[in-house]
Amino acid sequence: MSSNTRTRALATLAAAVALTALAPTSAFADDSFPSKPIRFVVPFSAGGTTSILARALGERLGPVIGQPIVIENKPGAGGNIGIQVVANSKADGYTMLMGPIGLAINPSLYANPGYDVAKDLAPVTLYGGVPNVLNVNPDLPVKTVAELIDYAKANPGKLSYASNGNGTSSHLAAEMLKTTAGIDMLHIPYKGGAPAMKDLIGGQVQLHFDQMPAVKPQIEAGRVRALGVSSAKRSSAAPDIPSLSENGLPGFDMTVWFGVMVPAGTPEPIIDKLNASIRKVLSDEEFRAWLVERGVETMDGTPAEFGSFLKTESERWSKVIKQADVRID
């Protein structure tokens, strides 16, 4: 090989090495993500609002992103078990979390939730917000919040309320009701909204806070009686149900939100693709109408916006939990 030929060969090799070094290293570099199904972990049991909304999103996200979205329900410990599953998963975009409001609540509520939201998880996008609905068994002789409060005061300790698990918004809403109204009730925690609702209908418990999408069919069927919504204003999905704030508990305001998270360290291009794909689904007018009908207000945004929102919510709930003096060890 001549000197000139050798020089040209070395130059070509050097250029190839330089291009390789400059090429992106993530799985998204050649636009191959996703190349297999994506696992979507729901930290509560099937049938509850979190699962309903995750399945609705997953069904529509699959065709947009080009791979099936596989729902996995991992209930327990107020959502902590499912959150831990995602926090400990490989950061490659193939595991997502249907993040509940517990991401902002649990770190202040549990001595050791088993994860650090800021260190172990990365935000993708907010999804939506819904009110909790205060429901009672139809056999309970009350039709308003005021009547419920009077009944509870006349029968101290005799009312039992179901929650979707220790530390869930369902639990905290009832604790806020107890504190605000000055009443005493027994807490019966479940592993999700579906089993809690089953026992409310069956009369094993007398009242239950649950999110509008899951409880609306039960209200319409007359299986439970709705006394009020936890949001500051009435829900567009059920405008006949008054807010707790206007129905004897001024200032009562609790909106439950959901967002999508992935393990920390997931490459930014993958997060961006997931964000864009989910926001495309949420922008569909037909899907938005489906959500509104169930009392869900869409709340999408950038990963940074979700991260900022989560920080603000964590600070807010830390104060609420301290004031309510609720702690789970």
Side-chain angles (χ1 to χ4, degrees):
M1 182 182 293
S2 70
S3 175
N4 287 340
T5 302
R6 187 181 297 110
T7 299
R8 284 196 299 271
L10 290 172
T12 300
L13 178 61
V17 170
L19 287 172
T20 301
L22 290 171
T25 58
S26 75
F28 187 53
D30 60 354
D31 203 29
S32 64
F33 176 84
S35 59
K36 61 182 181 181
I38 295 174
R39 178 172 65 153
F40 199 5
V41 176
V42 178
F44 297 104
S45 59
T49 298
T50 314
S51 190
I52 290 170
L53 295 183
R55 289 178 187 280
L57 176 60
E59 287 172 3
R60 293 161 176 82
L61 179 60
V64 170
I65 207 162
Q67 286 291 338
I69 308 299
V70 181
I71 306 296
E72 285 191 15
N73 293 90
K74 300 286 186 181
N80 284 338
I81 290 175
I83 296 172
Q84 286 177 37
V85 167
V86 177
N88 294 327
S89 294
K90 190 175 180 181
D92 56 5
Y94 288 100
T95 299
M96 302 190 303
L97 171 71
M98 181 60 167
I101 192 175
L103 290 167
I105 293 173
N106 292 0
S108 295
L109 193 65
Y110 289 83
N112 181 22
Y115 55 86
D116 184 315
V117 175
K119 293 180 180 178
D120 298 332
L121 296 165
V124 176
T125 183
L126 273 166
Y127 180 173
V130 299
N132 266 313
V133 185
L134 171 57
N135 308 283
V136 297
N137 182 282
D139 291 336
L140 194 68
V142 301
K143 293 185 178 179
T144 67
V145 173
E147 289 180 0
L148 173 66
I149 293 171
D150 289 343
Y151 182 90
K153 288 182 176 179
N155 299 274
K158 291 187 178 180
L159 286 178
S160 59
Y161 75 89
S163 80
N164 299 353
N166 283 317
T168 60
S169 65
S170 173
H171 177 198
L172 290 185
E175 288 298 319
M176 286 173 66
L177 171 63
K178 284 175 59 178
T179 302
T180 307
I183 58 177
D184 183 27
M185 302 185 294
L186 176 65
H187 176 212
I188 310 294
Y190 290 79
K191 285 189 176 181
M197 179 57 67
K198 180 181 178 182
D199 275 8
L200 176 66
I201 294 171
Q204 284 80 13
V205 291
Q206 286 75 52
L207 61 132
H208 176 219
F209 276 94
D210 201 5
Q211 288 93 46
M212 181 66 77
V215 77
K216 187 181 178 185
Q218 309 300 340
I219 296 170
E220 293 174 340
R223 298 187 187 98
V224 299
R225 179 184 297 134
L227 301 187
V229 295
S230 66
S231 50
K233 297 180 181 179
R234 298 189 182 205
S235 170
S236 59
D240 292 338
I241 302 175
S243 69
L244 294 179
S245 181
E246 67 178 284
N247 194 15
L249 296 172
F252 199 105
D253 183 11
M254 182 182 192
T255 298
V256 181
W257 53 262
F258 305 90
V260 179
M261 308 281 283
V262 291
T266 300
E268 187 175 337
I270 290 179
I271 291 177
D272 289 342
K273 183 168 186 179
L274 290 171
N275 175 276
S277 300
I278 293 170
R279 294 178 73 181
K280 183 176 181 180
V281 172
L282 294 176
S283 69
D284 179 77
E285 289 186 10
E286 185 179 338
F287 186 40
R288 290 174 77 92
W290 185 91
L291 292 170
V292 168
E293 186 181 349
R294 287 154 182 79
V296 183
E297 178 186 352
T298 55
M299 301 170 63
D300 64 338
T302 66
E305 287 169 340
F306 184 16
S308 178
F309 173 84
L310 183 54
K311 182 181 178 185
T312 300
E313 279 288 281
S314 297
E315 292 169 354
R316 181 170 84 91
W317 280 106
S318 176
K319 293 176 184 176
V320 169
I321 290 165
K322 229 174 248 185
Q323 290 172 353
D325 194 27
V326 181
R327 187 76 174 172
I328 300 173
D329 296 319

